[in-house]
Amino acid sequence: MEPCISLPLEKSLLDDVVAQSKDFANVHGIVMRRRETPLSSDVVCFTPHTLVPSPVPKKLFYQSFDVQNDFHLLMHGISRDYQFLKSVLSSSMQHDEFQKKLFDIYEEVYINNIPCQSIMLGMLRCDYMFDCTGGTDISTDKIQLKQVEVNTIASGLAGLGTQCTRLHRFNLENLGKSEIASSLPESKAVGKMAEGFVEAWKLYGNNKAAILFLIEEVSWNIMDQRWLEYEIRNLDKSIPIIRRLFKDVVERAKIEDNKLIIFNFLYNHIINYLCITYTNMFPLLGYALPVTIATFVLLDGNLSFNGNNLFGEDIKTKLEQIGEDKSRAGYILMDKIEPLVVTNYTVQSEKDVEIRKMVSEIGIFGAIISNGENVPFNSTCGHILRTKTVSSNEGSFAGGSAVIDSPFLV
C-alpha cells in the first residue's frame, strides 16, 4: 500500500525531520528507560517510532472499534463460566504452569465460595492485523480484519500510543503536509482508560481505598504506566495511587478476614483476573501435519510473544520432536496472516534511519466494569498501531521487534 507521503525523502530533509522527531518525543514524554539501565530513570531515550503514520484501511479501522464493547461482554461472560473455562483449559493447563496457577486461584474462589468484592474492572486490548490472503485491492472486501489476540494482562501502550499521534502530526507539518496531519484520527486511549479506573474506584464506595499499580522489578517502559497514573490523578486528585513491586506484596502485604489487602495502612481491593488468548485453534493431539506448513503459525500457549512463535519448517521440526507426547496440547496452531505491507522509516536510538517494508498491527483499548451480572460501564477507549519490518516474525514492542505508530486512514 502507498505511504501517506511520497517516499523516500531527500537526505538533508530526512536528517532534519528525524532530528526534530527525536527532540519532540523527548520533550513531550514519548520516552522510555534505556534497556541497559531498566531500573533507573536518570537516563531515558525517545520511544522507537515510525517517522510518519502508516496507511490503514478506513473501513477495517472502524470495524475494529465497532466490535470492541462486544468483546468486553464476551470476556466478562467467559470469566463467570467456571465449567466452560475448566473444559477449554483442562488440556493446556497440564503443560502451562502459569495458566494453571491462575486457574487454581479462580477455582478455589469458585468452589469454596470465597467472598470477593462484586465490583470488577477489566482493562483489555484487542489486537488485529490486516489480512491480504484474498488480495490487496482496498476498494473491495478482499482485505480483511483478523484478530490476533485479546490482551487482558499485557494491555499496555495506551499512554505512548496516545502521544504518537501528536508526534506524527508534528512531523507531517514539518514536511509541509498539514492537511494530512489534521486528518489523523485522535486516540484518547490513556484518558478513557483512566476514566475506567476512576469509575471503578467510585463504585467501590470507600474513599480510603487506593489504586495499586503492581509492577515488575525490571520496568523499562515505566513512562507508559506513568501516563495512565497521571491521567487518573488529573481526573480525580483525591484518589490515592501507589506503585509496588510484586515482591513487595509478598513481603509487606497481608489479607484480613474482610479480604482487603492492608498495605502501608491503605486499603486496596483485590483485582481477580484470568488471562485467555483466543485464536483459530486446532487440536494438536493426533493432528495430521498439513502439507503446506507455510500457512500456519505455532504458538507456545500463553507465551505467544518474544520468540515463542514457530514458523515454516520450524513447526515441522518441533512437532516431530514432541511426537505424540501430551505436551503437544500446550501448543496452538493458528492460521498465518498475510499482512498488508507498507513503506516507512523507523526512528530508533543509535540505529540508522532507513526506508523499510513493514507490516502493522492495530490494538483497540477498552474498559469494562461489572457488578455481578450488571455492567454499569463499557467503553471503547482508543487505539495504538505497532509496526515491524516484514522480515521479523515477532511483533512485540516489549521484545524490541516493533515500534509505535499511528494510522493514516485510506
Side-chain angles (χ1 to χ4, degrees):
M1 180 173 286
E2 292 297 317
C4 67
I5 62 172
S6 179
L7 296 178
L9 299 175
E10 190 270 330
K11 187 178 186 306
S12 60
L13 177 60
L14 175 64
D15 290 345
D16 178 66
V17 174
V18 167
Q20 292 201 55
S21 184
K22 293 177 180 179
D23 289 344
F24 185 95
N26 285 323
V27 169
H28 291 83
I30 311 172
V31 297
M32 62 185 190
R33 289 174 174 172
R34 297 192 66 86
R35 291 181 183 272
E36 297 85 353
T37 54
L39 303 181
S40 172
S41 295
D42 288 350
V43 180
V44 298
C45 65
F46 62 88
T47 302
H49 58 273
T50 58
L51 185 63
V52 294
S54 295
V56 166
K58 181 186 296 186
K59 180 179 178 180
L60 301 185
F61 175 80
Y62 288 114
Q63 188 180 102
S64 65
F65 273 77
D66 290 343
V67 298
Q68 182 68 21
N69 283 4
D70 294 323
F71 275 109
H72 298 168
L73 296 175
L74 176 63
M75 294 297 106
H76 169 62
I78 290 174
S79 70
R80 298 173 61 83
D81 193 334
Y82 167 76
Q83 293 298 337
F84 173 78
L85 286 172
K86 185 175 182 179
S87 64
V88 169
L89 301 175
S90 58
S91 60
S92 60
M93 282 192 295
Q94 298 176 31
H95 312 284
D96 189 328
E97 190 66 17
F98 174 71
Q99 190 180 88
K100 182 180 183 302
K101 287 181 177 180
L102 283 178
F103 190 80
D104 285 347
I105 297 171
Y106 176 88
E107 187 171 50
E108 182 177 355
V109 172
Y110 178 85
I111 292 177
N112 297 316
N113 197 29
I114 297 175
C116 295
Q117 89 265 359
S118 60
I119 306 296
M120 298 285 181
L121 169 64
M123 314 299 288
L124 293 87
R125 193 189 74 215
C126 295
D127 292 342
Y128 305 86
M129 296 188 81
F130 311 106
D131 185 32
C132 297
T133 302
T136 59
D137 187 353
I138 196 171
S139 64
T140 68
D141 291 330
K142 290 183 178 180
I143 303 177
Q144 296 184 328
L145 193 69
K146 292 292 180 72
Q147 189 177 86
V148 177
E149 60 187 348
V150 178
N151 293 281
T152 60
I153 296 179
S155 52
L157 293 181
L160 293 177
T162 298
Q163 311 311 317
C164 191
T165 303
R166 298 174 61 197
L167 172 63
H168 279 159
R169 283 177 178 157
F170 175 78
N171 289 347
L172 288 168
E173 289 166 357
N174 285 335
L175 289 165
K177 303 295 181 181
S178 297
E179 184 176 338
I180 296 176
S182 63
S183 70
L184 299 183
E186 193 80 41
S187 179
K188 300 180 180 179
V190 69
K192 293 290 186 181
M193 296 281 271
E195 287 178 11
F197 277 93
V198 172
E199 288 302 314
W201 183 84
K202 289 178 179 178
L203 287 171
Y204 189 61
N206 182 349
N207 59 14
K208 293 183 179 180
I211 294 176
L212 171 64
F213 279 70
L214 279 175
I215 59 174
E216 298 174 300
E217 181 82 26
V218 177
S219 188
W220 56 267
N221 196 25
I222 188 175
M223 308 310 174
D224 183 60
Q225 302 163 11
R226 290 294 195 188
W227 272 108
L228 180 57
E229 178 184 340
Y230 299 156
E231 283 295 321
I232 295 171
R233 292 186 188 278
N234 286 338
L235 292 172
D236 192 333
K237 292 180 173 57
S238 70
I239 301 176
I241 300 175
I242 57 177
R243 296 170 58 87
R244 295 292 183 270
L245 300 173
F246 282 101
K247 70 173 186 178
D248 291 333
V249 175
V250 175
E251 295 172 357
R252 300 164 58 191
K254 62 180 180 179
I255 300 178
E256 289 188 344
D257 293 337
N258 59 6
K259 308 305 176 189
L260 296 179
I261 299 178
I262 309 300
F263 208 107
N264 288 355
F265 305 102
L266 291 172
Y267 286 78
N268 309 278
H269 62 277
I270 304 171
I271 298 177
N272 298 294
Y273 58 84
L274 185 63
C275 177
I276 307 170
T277 297
Y278 286 89
T279 58
N280 294 327
M281 297 182 188
F282 296 83
L284 288 181
L285 279 173
Y287 181 75
L289 193 65
V291 175
T292 311
I293 58 176
T295 60
F296 293 94
V297 180
L298 191 64
L299 307 181
D300 186 357
N302 272 327
L303 301 177
S304 56
F305 54 86
N306 294 351
N308 293 288
N309 299 339
L310 298 172
F311 300 82
E313 289 296 324
D314 291 339
I315 298 177
K316 179 180 177 182
T317 301
K318 172 59 69 173
L319 295 182
E320 287 177 344
Q321 290 175 351
I322 297 173
E324 294 303 315
D325 188 87
K326 290 184 178 181
S327 63
R328 199 178 176 98
Y331 292 85
I332 300 167
L333 195 63
M334 177 180 173
D335 289 328
K336 185 178 181 181
I337 296 170
E338 296 296 331
L340 185 67
V341 178
V342 301
T343 302
N344 212 328
Y345 290 99
T346 56
V347 183
Q348 297 170 280
S349 178
E350 299 178 355
K351 290 186 179 181
D352 293 335
V353 178
E354 298 177 349
I355 195 165
R356 305 173 188 272
K357 294 295 184 182
M358 311 190 76
V359 296
S360 298
E361 182 174 327
I362 191 166
I364 308 300
F365 295 96
I368 180 172
I369 301 174
S370 63
N371 186 354
E373 294 293 337
N374 298 321
V375 179
F377 185 92
N378 189 10
S379 174
T380 298
C381 298
H383 62 271
I384 172 68
L385 202 66
R386 289 166 297 149
T387 300
K388 64 173 185 175
T389 60
V390 170
S391 60
S392 175
N393 281 330
E394 302 297 334
S396 168
F397 175 80
S401 55
V403 301
I404 61 172
D405 196 353
S406 60
F408 167 67
L409 302 185
V410 294

